[in-house]
Amino acid sequence: MQGKLKLSLCVAALSGSAWAAPAHYPSSYQNLEAAAAKEGKLIIYSATDSAVARPLLKDFQSLYPAVKVEYHDMNTTEIYNRFISENAANSASADLVWSSAMDLQVKLVNDGYAASYASPETPNLPKWAHYQQQAYATTYEPVAIVYNKRLLKPEEIPQTRADLIRILKANPSRFKGKVTTYDIERSGVGFNFLTQDYRYSQQGVWDLVRALGRSGVKLQTSTGAMMERISSGENLIGYNILGSYAFAKAKKDPSIGYVYPKDYTQVASRLAIVSKKAKNPSAARLWLDYLLSKRGQDILANQADLFSLRSDVGGAASLSALNQQLGSSIKPIQIGPGLLVYLDQAKRLDFMRNWQQSLKN
């Protein structure tokens, strides 16, 4: 569900909060906490559903009761466009942007929208988990094929992308209008996932898109919309869906099944950046550190089901559990300038033309 979640927190002294900064934080960290309390506000633009983020926001509230959090839940493309438009107009905007559209987040860094910050949690993160101390990875989420367990036969459950193509071709009438994926023209995360697919198999991507097109694929801009349609039976299979949402929904909804593709499973991360023009930069840094801390990551993995990237966090939704489950098939999306290749205008237009043509063929 998209919208704005406001957590109006009682103004109180930080000394009365439950938080004790971890021992490895510098003694000067109390100055950052005091500055955040003085700011008294934090604006977050996020692609993480507000219901999913609620345990994190509630815990952050208990730690920093002097800060009022405005949490704006939008799709990835909307976040990017709104943020750059507001910055260009010098109007009020997000203090922190938290998005699964990794390429758009790296572009914000490269285009000068992000502030540098050496988080005290950096030594506890994988080396790949931050980019120029400006974009920080916060999750380790597999990208899945999701299906309706009630309505799909065992032999119709695709284990690989080749399986998905074969199944759609074998019974076109059964799957007509019953498959869904991201609309990459309107979803930043969907565009990123498909361009990353293209890195692994250029021909395979267009073979798959053609199969999706022949099946009358239903295109959506959000994971939530796809999950609801699969749960209801309106769609039977969803491709390139964030596995964290499938993992969480499957625990409550017996209709939802999911597969991490055996040919390769992409792993994405929600990247967080502090805005260079943040009105509340100290509060933004507190939220970033909280997300990266062991406490925050434990809640992120075991209450929000977003999959932790820290090696010292356990549970089914953790880096160690996922690596053990997937082994060599796991392919993390690398954070860096390589993500910008298909944001080049000419390359993006060419990729979109191939997408549109393949859907029609």
Side-chain angles (χ1 to χ4, degrees):
M1 181 182 295
Q2 295 182 2
K4 179 171 75 172
L5 178 65
K6 282 192 177 182
L7 294 179
S8 296
L9 313 179
C10 298
V11 177
L14 281 168
S15 59
S17 74
W19 178 246
H24 63 275
Y25 281 29
S27 59
S28 60
Y29 199 76
Q30 61 186 344
N31 297 330
L32 183 69
E33 293 175 316
K38 186 175 181 180
E39 290 167 358
K41 187 176 183 179
L42 169 61
I43 300 174
I44 301 171
Y45 287 0
S46 176
T48 304
D49 290 352
S50 56
V52 174
R54 193 177 298 274
L56 293 160
L57 292 163
K58 184 178 180 181
D59 190 53
F60 183 79
Q61 163 184 318
S62 74
L63 304 181
Y64 297 110
V67 180
K68 183 179 78 170
V69 180
E70 288 187 12
Y71 188 87
H72 300 253
D73 169 7
M74 297 171 270
N75 75 45
T76 51
T77 300
E78 184 182 1
I79 288 172
Y80 176 80
N81 289 336
R82 178 172 171 179
F83 180 71
I84 61 172
S85 295
E86 290 169 345
N87 271 260
N90 287 317
S91 58
S93 190
D95 300 306
L96 182 138
V97 181
W98 190 29
S99 173
S100 50
M102 299 171 68
D103 51 352
L104 294 179
Q105 292 291 84
V106 170
K107 182 170 173 55
L108 289 178
V109 171
N110 277 30
D111 290 349
Y113 289 96
S116 295
Y117 176 55
S119 170
E121 292 294 348
T122 302
N124 298 310
L125 305 176
K127 290 182 179 179
W128 53 263
H130 61 87
Y131 178 59
Q132 297 182 355
Q133 294 188 331
Q134 291 178 303
Y136 283 85
T138 63
T139 60
Y140 195 69
E141 300 173 65
V143 182
I145 298 172
V146 181
Y147 62 93
N148 186 298
K149 289 170 67 175
R150 292 183 296 106
L151 301 176
L152 224 58
K153 302 171 187 175
E155 62 271 19
E156 293 176 328
I157 300 170
Q159 300 297 319
T160 65
R161 291 161 181 81
D163 280 351
L164 179 55
I165 294 171
R166 175 181 54 78
I167 289 164
L168 296 182
K169 285 182 176 179
N171 201 341
S173 59
R174 166 136 167 82
F175 292 101
K176 192 70 174 178
K178 295 293 186 179
V179 185
T180 186
T181 193
Y182 285 108
D183 182 346
I184 71 166
E185 296 181 57
R186 297 191 296 151
S187 167
V189 66
F191 179 79
N192 185 36
F193 288 168
L194 200 68
T195 55
Q196 291 300 306
D197 276 336
Y198 188 72
R199 290 179 59 239
Y200 293 109
S201 177
Q202 295 184 7
Q203 185 58 46
V205 163
W206 302 129
D207 288 344
L208 176 56
V209 174
R210 278 190 286 271
L212 293 172
R214 293 187 195 105
S215 74
V217 65
K218 302 300 182 183
L219 303 177
Q220 304 295 339
T221 60
S222 74
T223 300
M226 291 189 281
M227 295 291 292
E228 289 303 319
R229 284 163 172 77
I230 294 168
S231 176
S232 70
E234 183 178 345
N235 296 139
L236 298 178
I237 301 175
Y239 179 68
N240 263 5
I241 294 180
L242 278 165
S244 53
Y245 284 15
F247 174 82
K249 192 167 181 64
K251 293 195 293 187
K252 303 174 184 177
D253 186 343
S255 297
I256 294 295
Y258 58 91
V259 168
Y260 300 144
K262 290 183 171 56
D263 45 347
Y264 65 89
T265 296
Q266 293 194 59
V267 179
S269 184
R270 294 166 199 266
L271 301 186
I273 67 166
V274 175
S275 172
K276 185 177 283 186
K277 292 185 177 181
K279 297 290 193 294
N280 307 292
S282 298
R285 288 171 169 84
L286 287 192
W287 172 256
L288 175 61
D289 292 337
Y290 168 75
L291 276 182
L292 299 175
S293 71
K294 189 175 188 301
R295 175 175 177 146
Q297 287 278 304
D298 185 68
I299 292 173
L300 181 146
N302 295 302
Q303 293 185 41
D305 293 321
L306 287 177
F307 287 78
S308 169
L309 52 67
R310 285 181 63 129
S311 60
D312 56 356
V313 171
S318 66
L319 178 147
S320 56
L322 195 61
N323 284 344
Q324 185 174 5
Q325 179 182 353
L326 297 179
S328 61
S329 67
I330 200 164
K331 303 295 182 187
I333 299 173
Q334 299 300 307
I335 304 170
L339 284 168
L340 302 176
V341 171
Y342 289 99
L343 295 181
D344 171 81
Q345 187 174 8
K347 284 185 168 60
R348 180 181 173 87
L349 287 173
D350 185 58
F351 195 87
M352 287 299 188
R353 277 195 296 268
N354 283 327
W355 157 260
Q356 292 163 353
Q357 291 169 2
S358 297
L359 281 178
K360 294 175 182 177
N361 290 335

